Amino acid sequence: ELMVHQLRVATGRQQPRLEDGPSFFVLQNKMRNQVRGKAMALDNIGDAKDQLSVAEAGLLRLEDLHSQMRDLMVRGANDTLNAEQRDDINREIRSLAMAMDEIVGRTQFNETGKLLDGTFKATYLVGPNESDTLAVTIGNFDSESLGVKVEDANVLSSDNARKGLNRVDHAINRLKD
């Protein structure tokens, strides 16, 4: 008889009542609370995923801009360019660097703070218990932190372009990591 009652409780075919015994009633409430806790944890995981997806989109955009900057540095490393062409490339490189910093400043989720400027730290409750947490820290991805400062990004000479190319490659690798 006890096994029949337990089976009914476990399958939900019978709602336990106090008459069935206090252990069945307590078991049902405990299971109900666990299910609610897990449902809330799933909601939390969804929110965390959304927030981190926004950060990832910002990082992908930064990677794209760095790739464009790399192409310009490769072009600038060529000794066939004249001064006017180098100035044009420099203006474009500087605008890309400024755009990167703007992306870092604007990448946010639900007005909870900037995600890519080194200040983002979050702890997500990903399970029904207090200890079921996931801690996330996102580093600083502005142009200076990545080693591609606006004032240093230039192709005034092919040597400068090659040095800049190394810095941009390092920044791209950091973004991918």
Side-chain angles (χ1 to χ4, degrees):
E1 188 175 314
L2 180 63
M3 287 177 20
V4 169
H5 283 292
Q6 286 177 336
L7 180 62
R8 287 180 182 161
V9 169
T11 60
R13 292 196 178 162
Q14 174 186 346
Q15 295 288 10
R17 299 177 307 265
L18 283 176
E19 303 88 56
D20 294 332
S23 62
F24 288 114
F25 189 73
V26 169
L27 178 65
Q28 178 198 20
N29 285 335
K30 185 176 181 180
M31 290 173 67
R32 184 180 294 139
N33 287 335
Q34 284 182 347
V35 168
R36 285 182 182 163
K38 288 181 182 185
M40 288 307 301
L42 285 174
D43 286 347
N44 289 348
I45 291 169
D47 291 343
K49 182 179 177 222
D50 291 345
Q51 189 173 44
L52 295 174
S53 291
V54 169
E56 181 183 28
L59 290 172
L60 289 172
R61 182 65 181 130
L62 288 175
E63 185 180 348
D64 182 50
L65 291 175
H66 278 84
S67 293
Q68 291 176 32
M69 185 181 281
R70 185 184 193 289
D71 293 344
L72 293 169
M73 291 287 188
V74 168
R75 184 179 300 153
N78 191 354
D79 276 331
T80 62
L81 298 176
N82 63 35
E84 184 180 336
Q85 290 169 320
R86 289 187 184 282
D87 284 341
D88 290 342
I89 292 172
N90 274 337
R91 276 193 292 281
E92 194 169 345
I93 287 172
R94 288 174 192 238
S95 71
L96 288 172
M98 288 187 288
M100 291 173 202
D101 289 339
E102 187 174 325
I103 288 170
V104 168
R106 293 179 135 198
T107 302
Q108 26 184 326
F109 178 81
N110 201 20
E111 299 178 10
T112 57
K114 297 174 182 168
L115 299 175
L116 303 177
D117 69 353
T119 62
F120 183 78
K121 293 179 181 166
T123 303
Y124 305 104
L125 188 62
V126 294
N129 302 313
E130 180 183 342
S131 62
D132 299 332
T133 60
L134 171 68
V136 175
T137 302
I138 299 177
N140 194 345
F141 291 97
D142 66 2
S143 60
E144 185 171 348
S145 297
L146 289 173
V148 186
K149 295 188 272 187
V150 175
E151 57 273 7
D152 293 341
N154 72 67
V155 293
L156 296 177
S157 71
S158 59
D159 286 340
N160 282 358
R162 282 190 281 280
K163 289 176 189 172
L165 183 59
N166 287 334
R167 288 192 299 269
V168 171
D169 284 342
H170 176 73
I172 290 172
N173 288 333
R174 183 164 172 226
L175 286 165
K176 287 181 180 180
D177 287 344

